[in-house]
Structures are given as structure tokens and as C-alpha cells.
mmCIF file of all heavy atoms in Angstrom:
data_model
loop_
_atom_site.group_PDB
_atom_site.id
_atom_site.type_symbol
_atom_site.label_atom_id
_atom_site.label_comp_id
_atom_site.label_asym_id
_atom_site.label_seq_id
_atom_site.Cartn_x
_atom_site.Cartn_y
_atom_site.Cartn_z
ATOM 1 N N TYR X 1071 -5.176 -1.336 4.884
ATOM 2 C CA TYR X 1071 -4.669 -2.529 4.252
ATOM 3 C C TYR X 1071 -3.138 -2.756 4.447
ATOM 4 O O TYR X 1071 -2.373 -1.904 4.211
ATOM 5 C CB TYR X 1071 -4.867 -2.352 2.654
ATOM 6 C CG TYR X 1071 -4.430 -3.438 1.733
ATOM 7 C CD1 TYR X 1071 -5.053 -4.729 1.859
ATOM 8 C CD2 TYR X 1071 -3.419 -3.211 0.838
ATOM 9 C CE1 TYR X 1071 -4.569 -5.709 0.995
ATOM 10 C CE2 TYR X 1071 -2.989 -4.247 -0.048
ATOM 11 C CZ TYR X 1071 -3.592 -5.525 0.070
ATOM 12 O OH TYR X 1071 -3.163 -6.478 -0.788
ATOM 13 N N LEU X 1072 -2.879 -3.892 5.125
ATOM 14 C CA LEU X 1072 -1.468 -4.303 5.394
ATOM 15 C C LEU X 1072 -0.753 -3.167 6.188
ATOM 16 O O LEU X 1072 0.472 -2.952 6.032
ATOM 17 C CB LEU X 1072 -0.663 -4.564 4.072
ATOM 18 C CG LEU X 1072 -1.229 -5.726 3.173
ATOM 19 C CD1 LEU X 1072 -0.424 -5.823 1.970
ATOM 20 C CD2 LEU X 1072 -1.242 -7.005 3.913
ATOM 21 N N THR X 1073 -1.450 -2.540 7.146
ATOM 22 C CA THR X 1073 -0.852 -1.516 7.920
ATOM 23 C C THR X 1073 -0.121 -2.054 9.200
ATOM 24 O O THR X 1073 0.606 -1.266 9.813
ATOM 25 C CB THR X 1073 -1.908 -0.447 8.333
ATOM 26 O OG1 THR X 1073 -2.920 -1.095 8.991
ATOM 27 C CG2 THR X 1073 -2.429 0.251 7.043
ATOM 28 N N GLU X 1074 -0.461 -3.308 9.608
ATOM 29 C CA GLU X 1074 -0.070 -3.784 10.901
ATOM 30 C C GLU X 1074 1.516 -3.739 11.137
ATOM 31 O O GLU X 1074 1.965 -3.390 12.097
ATOM 32 C CB GLU X 1074 -0.461 -5.229 11.132
ATOM 33 C CG GLU X 1074 -2.041 -5.277 11.308
ATOM 34 C CD GLU X 1074 -2.681 -5.410 9.858
ATOM 35 O OE1 GLU X 1074 -2.002 -5.355 8.893
ATOM 36 O OE2 GLU X 1074 -3.926 -5.616 9.854
ATOM 37 N N ASP X 1075 2.207 -4.128 10.038
ATOM 38 C CA ASP X 1075 3.668 -4.194 10.157
ATOM 39 C C ASP X 1075 4.324 -3.171 9.154
ATOM 40 O O ASP X 1075 5.517 -3.256 8.893
ATOM 41 C CB ASP X 1075 4.254 -5.637 9.766
ATOM 42 C CG ASP X 1075 3.897 -5.946 8.332
ATOM 43 O OD1 ASP X 1075 3.013 -5.390 7.715
ATOM 44 O OD2 ASP X 1075 4.698 -6.963 7.858
ATOM 45 N N ALA X 1076 3.602 -2.304 8.590
ATOM 46 C CA ALA X 1076 4.078 -1.428 7.580
ATOM 47 C C ALA X 1076 5.197 -0.511 7.987
ATOM 48 O O ALA X 1076 5.106 0.099 9.153
ATOM 49 C CB ALA X 1076 2.906 -0.542 6.901
ATOM 50 N N GLU X 1077 6.143 -0.220 7.145
ATOM 51 C CA GLU X 1077 7.245 0.722 7.376
ATOM 52 C C GLU X 1077 6.979 2.039 6.669
ATOM 53 O O GLU X 1077 7.530 3.035 7.007
ATOM 54 C CB GLU X 1077 8.567 0.197 6.959
ATOM 55 C CG GLU X 1077 9.133 -1.029 7.824
ATOM 56 C CD GLU X 1077 10.415 -1.427 7.320
ATOM 57 O OE1 GLU X 1077 10.619 -1.760 6.153
ATOM 58 O OE2 GLU X 1077 11.380 -1.329 8.172
ATOM 59 N N VAL X 1078 6.087 1.983 5.676
ATOM 60 C CA VAL X 1078 5.674 3.140 4.937
ATOM 61 C C VAL X 1078 4.275 3.012 4.573
ATOM 62 O O VAL X 1078 3.762 1.962 4.297
ATOM 63 C CB VAL X 1078 6.595 3.273 3.639
ATOM 64 C CG1 VAL X 1078 6.410 2.169 2.681
ATOM 65 C CG2 VAL X 1078 6.311 4.572 2.868
ATOM 66 N N ILE X 1079 3.513 4.122 4.703
ATOM 67 C CA ILE X 1079 2.123 4.096 4.405
ATOM 68 C C ILE X 1079 1.880 4.899 3.133
ATOM 69 O O ILE X 1079 2.377 6.040 2.922
ATOM 70 C CB ILE X 1079 1.377 4.773 5.534
ATOM 71 C CG1 ILE X 1079 1.480 3.920 6.837
ATOM 72 C CG2 ILE X 1079 -0.154 5.020 5.235
ATOM 73 C CD1 ILE X 1079 0.770 2.587 6.801
ATOM 74 N N VAL X 1080 0.965 4.418 2.234
ATOM 75 C CA VAL X 1080 0.485 5.138 1.076
ATOM 76 C C VAL X 1080 -0.953 5.529 1.437
ATOM 77 O O VAL X 1080 -1.713 4.634 1.933
ATOM 78 C CB VAL X 1080 0.546 4.358 -0.169
ATOM 79 C CG1 VAL X 1080 0.076 5.110 -1.354
ATOM 80 C CG2 VAL X 1080 1.975 3.868 -0.475
ATOM 81 N N SER X 1081 -1.354 6.699 1.260
ATOM 82 C CA SER X 1081 -2.684 7.048 1.577
ATOM 83 C C SER X 1081 -3.303 7.792 0.370
ATOM 84 O O SER X 1081 -2.672 8.721 -0.209
ATOM 85 C CB SER X 1081 -2.813 8.079 2.799
ATOM 86 O OG SER X 1081 -4.166 8.168 3.203
ATOM 87 N N ALA X 1082 -4.555 7.375 0.029
ATOM 88 C CA ALA X 1082 -5.233 7.987 -1.154
ATOM 89 C C ALA X 1082 -6.659 7.770 -1.022
ATOM 90 O O ALA X 1082 -7.119 6.858 -0.219
ATOM 91 C CB ALA X 1082 -4.610 7.430 -2.464
ATOM 92 N N TYR X 1083 -7.522 8.381 -1.838
ATOM 93 C CA TYR X 1083 -8.952 8.168 -1.846
ATOM 94 C C TYR X 1083 -9.456 8.117 -3.257
ATOM 95 O O TYR X 1083 -8.741 8.417 -4.277
ATOM 96 C CB TYR X 1083 -9.650 9.268 -1.081
ATOM 97 C CG TYR X 1083 -9.728 10.555 -1.857
ATOM 98 C CD1 TYR X 1083 -10.859 10.927 -2.554
ATOM 99 C CD2 TYR X 1083 -8.727 11.487 -1.861
ATOM 100 C CE1 TYR X 1083 -11.030 12.111 -3.195
ATOM 101 C CE2 TYR X 1083 -8.837 12.732 -2.499
ATOM 102 C CZ TYR X 1083 -10.023 12.956 -3.221
ATOM 103 O OH TYR X 1083 -10.041 14.205 -3.950
ATOM 104 N N GLY X 1084 -10.637 7.578 -3.456
ATOM 105 C CA GLY X 1084 -11.301 7.443 -4.777
ATOM 106 C C GLY X 1084 -10.406 6.561 -5.686
ATOM 107 O O GLY X 1084 -9.811 5.649 -5.335
ATOM 108 N N ILE X 1085 -10.379 7.102 -6.933
ATOM 109 C CA ILE X 1085 -9.696 6.244 -7.973
ATOM 110 C C ILE X 1085 -8.170 6.209 -7.647
ATOM 111 O O ILE X 1085 -7.486 5.190 -7.832
ATOM 112 C CB ILE X 1085 -9.964 6.857 -9.360
ATOM 113 C CG1 ILE X 1085 -9.492 5.891 -10.432
ATOM 114 C CG2 ILE X 1085 -9.304 8.248 -9.468
ATOM 115 C CD1 ILE X 1085 -10.178 4.482 -10.475
ATOM 116 N N SER X 1086 -7.651 7.213 -7.023
ATOM 117 C CA SER X 1086 -6.215 7.182 -6.615
ATOM 118 C C SER X 1086 -5.989 6.137 -5.540
ATOM 119 O O SER X 1086 -4.958 5.555 -5.479
ATOM 120 C CB SER X 1086 -5.820 8.588 -6.146
ATOM 121 O OG SER X 1086 -5.788 9.555 -7.129
ATOM 122 N N GLY X 1087 -6.989 5.843 -4.741
ATOM 123 C CA GLY X 1087 -6.835 4.768 -3.772
ATOM 124 C C GLY X 1087 -6.749 3.395 -4.400
ATOM 125 O O GLY X 1087 -6.078 2.600 -3.966
ATOM 126 N N ARG X 1088 -7.457 3.282 -5.526
ATOM 127 C CA ARG X 1088 -7.336 1.991 -6.224
ATOM 128 C C ARG X 1088 -6.050 1.880 -6.881
ATOM 129 O O ARG X 1088 -5.402 0.797 -6.803
ATOM 130 C CB ARG X 1088 -8.402 1.976 -7.307
ATOM 131 C CG ARG X 1088 -8.585 0.728 -8.128
ATOM 132 C CD ARG X 1088 -9.843 0.829 -8.979
ATOM 133 N NE ARG X 1088 -10.012 -0.332 -9.760
ATOM 134 C CZ ARG X 1088 -11.188 -0.624 -10.334
ATOM 135 N NH1 ARG X 1088 -12.278 0.184 -10.251
ATOM 136 N NH2 ARG X 1088 -11.348 -1.701 -11.095
ATOM 137 N N ILE X 1089 -5.439 2.921 -7.444
ATOM 138 C CA ILE X 1089 -4.126 2.872 -7.976
ATOM 139 C C ILE X 1089 -3.116 2.522 -6.901
ATOM 140 O O ILE X 1089 -2.249 1.779 -7.091
ATOM 141 C CB ILE X 1089 -3.825 4.153 -8.795
ATOM 142 C CG1 ILE X 1089 -4.809 4.391 -9.939
ATOM 143 C CG2 ILE X 1089 -2.454 4.159 -9.286
ATOM 144 C CD1 ILE X 1089 -4.852 5.715 -10.481
ATOM 145 N N ALA X 1090 -3.270 3.291 -5.734
ATOM 146 C CA ALA X 1090 -2.309 3.160 -4.667
ATOM 147 C C ALA X 1090 -2.366 1.724 -4.110
ATOM 148 O O ALA X 1090 -1.248 1.210 -3.667
ATOM 149 C CB ALA X 1090 -2.679 4.140 -3.468
ATOM 150 N N LYS X 1091 -3.406 1.066 -4.092
ATOM 151 C CA LYS X 1091 -3.492 -0.332 -3.496
ATOM 152 C C LYS X 1091 -2.710 -1.330 -4.402
ATOM 153 O O LYS X 1091 -1.961 -2.125 -3.816
ATOM 154 C CB LYS X 1091 -4.918 -0.865 -3.423
ATOM 155 C CG LYS X 1091 -5.111 -2.118 -2.677
ATOM 156 C CD LYS X 1091 -6.532 -2.410 -2.353
ATOM 157 C CE LYS X 1091 -6.668 -3.637 -1.497
ATOM 158 N NZ LYS X 1091 -8.136 -3.949 -1.155
ATOM 159 N N SER X 1092 -2.750 -1.149 -5.715
ATOM 160 C CA SER X 1092 -1.961 -1.957 -6.593
ATOM 161 C C SER X 1092 -0.503 -1.620 -6.395
ATOM 162 O O SER X 1092 0.339 -2.585 -6.453
ATOM 163 C CB SER X 1092 -2.400 -1.773 -7.987
ATOM 164 O OG SER X 1092 -2.060 -0.479 -8.504
ATOM 165 N N ALA X 1093 -0.116 -0.412 -6.103
ATOM 166 C CA ALA X 1093 1.308 -0.114 -5.852
ATOM 167 C C ALA X 1093 1.780 -0.683 -4.584
ATOM 168 O O ALA X 1093 2.927 -1.204 -4.503
ATOM 169 C CB ALA X 1093 1.394 1.501 -5.779
ATOM 170 N N VAL X 1094 0.898 -0.721 -3.566
ATOM 171 C CA VAL X 1094 1.318 -1.355 -2.268
ATOM 172 C C VAL X 1094 1.541 -2.811 -2.548
ATOM 173 O O VAL X 1094 2.538 -3.379 -1.964
ATOM 174 C CB VAL X 1094 0.164 -1.202 -1.215
ATOM 175 C CG1 VAL X 1094 0.387 -2.110 0.002
ATOM 176 C CG2 VAL X 1094 0.163 0.298 -0.740
ATOM 177 N N ASN X 1095 0.707 -3.560 -3.354
ATOM 178 C CA ASN X 1095 1.055 -4.952 -3.597
ATOM 179 C C ASN X 1095 2.320 -5.108 -4.354
ATOM 180 O O ASN X 1095 3.099 -6.198 -4.104
ATOM 181 C CB ASN X 1095 -0.156 -5.526 -4.413
ATOM 182 C CG ASN X 1095 -1.441 -5.607 -3.653
ATOM 183 O OD1 ASN X 1095 -1.382 -5.861 -2.469
ATOM 184 N ND2 ASN X 1095 -2.588 -5.582 -4.304
ATOM 185 N N MET X 1096 2.658 -4.300 -5.327
ATOM 186 C CA MET X 1096 3.862 -4.312 -5.988
ATOM 187 C C MET X 1096 5.134 -4.123 -5.034
ATOM 188 O O MET X 1096 6.139 -4.763 -5.096
ATOM 189 C CB MET X 1096 3.977 -3.406 -7.148
ATOM 190 C CG MET X 1096 2.986 -3.662 -8.207
ATOM 191 S SD MET X 1096 3.015 -2.491 -9.587
ATOM 192 C CE MET X 1096 4.646 -2.782 -10.271
ATOM 193 N N LEU X 1097 4.963 -3.156 -4.174
ATOM 194 C CA LEU X 1097 6.065 -2.934 -3.180
ATOM 195 C C LEU X 1097 6.204 -4.037 -2.251
ATOM 196 O O LEU X 1097 7.434 -4.367 -1.850
ATOM 197 C CB LEU X 1097 5.724 -1.670 -2.430
ATOM 198 C CG LEU X 1097 5.787 -0.341 -3.219
ATOM 199 C CD1 LEU X 1097 4.951 0.868 -2.456
ATOM 200 C CD2 LEU X 1097 7.162 0.110 -3.498
ATOM 201 N N ARG X 1098 5.189 -4.670 -1.847
ATOM 202 C CA ARG X 1098 5.290 -5.938 -0.968
ATOM 203 C C ARG X 1098 6.072 -6.979 -1.712
ATOM 204 O O ARG X 1098 6.901 -7.649 -1.126
ATOM 205 C CB ARG X 1098 3.948 -6.385 -0.528
ATOM 206 C CG ARG X 1098 3.241 -5.522 0.554
ATOM 207 C CD ARG X 1098 3.739 -5.907 1.895
ATOM 208 N NE ARG X 1098 3.167 -5.009 2.953
ATOM 209 C CZ ARG X 1098 3.269 -5.267 4.221
ATOM 210 N NH1 ARG X 1098 3.780 -6.458 4.722
ATOM 211 N NH2 ARG X 1098 2.843 -4.419 5.159
ATOM 212 N N ALA X 1099 5.823 -7.118 -3.023
ATOM 213 C CA ALA X 1099 6.502 -8.115 -3.767
ATOM 214 C C ALA X 1099 7.986 -7.890 -3.907
ATOM 215 O O ALA X 1099 8.869 -8.724 -4.070
ATOM 216 C CB ALA X 1099 5.911 -8.195 -5.169
ATOM 217 N N GLU X 1100 8.397 -6.585 -3.680
ATOM 218 C CA GLU X 1100 9.800 -6.175 -3.724
ATOM 219 C C GLU X 1100 10.440 -6.256 -2.377
ATOM 220 O O GLU X 1100 11.627 -6.092 -2.230
ATOM 221 C CB GLU X 1100 9.905 -4.695 -4.142
ATOM 222 C CG GLU X 1100 9.520 -4.363 -5.578
ATOM 223 C CD GLU X 1100 9.649 -2.833 -5.862
ATOM 224 O OE1 GLU X 1100 10.360 -2.108 -5.040
ATOM 225 O OE2 GLU X 1100 9.114 -2.396 -6.933
ATOM 226 N N GLY X 1101 9.685 -6.576 -1.338
ATOM 227 C CA GLY X 1101 10.200 -6.756 -0.014
ATOM 228 C C GLY X 1101 10.031 -5.449 0.782
ATOM 229 O O GLY X 1101 10.457 -5.448 1.960
ATOM 230 N N ILE X 1102 9.388 -4.423 0.318
ATOM 231 C CA ILE X 1102 9.152 -3.160 0.988
ATOM 232 C C ILE X 1102 7.814 -3.311 1.769
ATOM 233 O O ILE X 1102 6.756 -3.581 1.093
ATOM 234 C CB ILE X 1102 9.055 -1.976 0.135
ATOM 235 C CG1 ILE X 1102 10.461 -1.774 -0.536
ATOM 236 C CG2 ILE X 1102 8.630 -0.787 0.871
ATOM 237 C CD1 ILE X 1102 10.520 -0.697 -1.624
ATOM 238 N N ARG X 1103 7.828 -3.231 3.060
ATOM 239 C CA ARG X 1103 6.558 -3.388 3.917
ATOM 240 C C ARG X 1103 5.771 -2.064 3.840
ATOM 241 O O ARG X 1103 5.882 -1.190 4.641
ATOM 242 C CB ARG X 1103 6.980 -3.714 5.340
ATOM 243 C CG ARG X 1103 7.595 -5.027 5.483
ATOM 244 C CD ARG X 1103 7.403 -5.612 6.859
ATOM 245 N NE ARG X 1103 7.976 -4.849 7.792
ATOM 246 C CZ ARG X 1103 9.282 -4.925 8.343
ATOM 247 N NH1 ARG X 1103 10.058 -5.846 7.686
ATOM 248 N NH2 ARG X 1103 9.675 -4.149 9.292
ATOM 249 N N ALA X 1104 4.976 -2.007 2.782
ATOM 250 C CA ALA X 1104 4.092 -0.863 2.541
ATOM 251 C C ALA X 1104 2.677 -1.188 2.979
ATOM 252 O O ALA X 1104 2.232 -2.374 2.923
ATOM 253 C CB ALA X 1104 4.091 -0.502 1.088
ATOM 254 N N GLY X 1105 1.930 -0.316 3.409
ATOM 255 C CA GLY X 1105 0.534 -0.341 3.755
ATOM 256 C C GLY X 1105 -0.318 0.760 3.250
ATOM 257 O O GLY X 1105 0.215 1.768 2.607
ATOM 258 N N LEU X 1106 -1.651 0.550 3.207
ATOM 259 C CA LEU X 1106 -2.437 1.569 2.613
ATOM 260 C C LEU X 1106 -3.576 1.994 3.578
ATOM 261 O O LEU X 1106 -4.100 1.282 4.284
ATOM 262 C CB LEU X 1106 -3.187 0.976 1.404
ATOM 263 C CG LEU X 1106 -4.358 1.863 0.695
ATOM 264 C CD1 LEU X 1106 -3.751 2.974 -0.017
ATOM 265 C CD2 LEU X 1106 -5.239 0.920 -0.135
ATOM 266 N N ILE X 1107 -3.756 3.374 3.694
ATOM 267 C CA ILE X 1107 -4.976 3.882 4.355
ATOM 268 C C ILE X 1107 -5.774 4.649 3.303
ATOM 269 O O ILE X 1107 -5.254 5.609 2.753
ATOM 270 C CB ILE X 1107 -4.557 4.866 5.551
ATOM 271 C CG1 ILE X 1107 -3.797 4.094 6.611
ATOM 272 C CG2 ILE X 1107 -5.772 5.518 6.079
ATOM 273 C CD1 ILE X 1107 -3.311 5.001 7.743
#
């Protein structure tokens, strides 16, 4: 998720992956190019 231009990657699985995806969206809103694996 959003890994193509990411400067930082968040990686998680299961329920933590769901929490991590919401964090990536918040970071993008701050201007930080985060992605999720």
C-alpha cells in the first residue's frame, strides 16, 4: 500500500496490519511519504 514513492515503510500483519494502515494514512496527511507492506 502506497509503496511506490515511499520514504519509510511500515510493516505488520493481522490486526497490527490494520492499525498500521491507518497510521500510514495519517502520516501521508502530514506530508510523510509512508507505505505499508
Side-chain angles (χ1 to χ4, degrees):
Y1071 179 65
L1072 301 177
T1073 57
E1074 296 84 357
D1075 66 340
E1077 291 182 303
V1078 63
I1079 295 293
V1080 181
S1081 189
Y1083 74 97
I1085 193 64
S1086 294
R1088 183 172 181 163
I1089 297 166
K1091 189 170 187 177
S1092 67
V1094 165
N1095 289 331
M1096 293 180 68
L1097 291 162
R1098 285 276 173 167
E1100 293 179 14
I1102 296 175
R1103 294 204 299 272
L1106 173 73
I1107 295 178

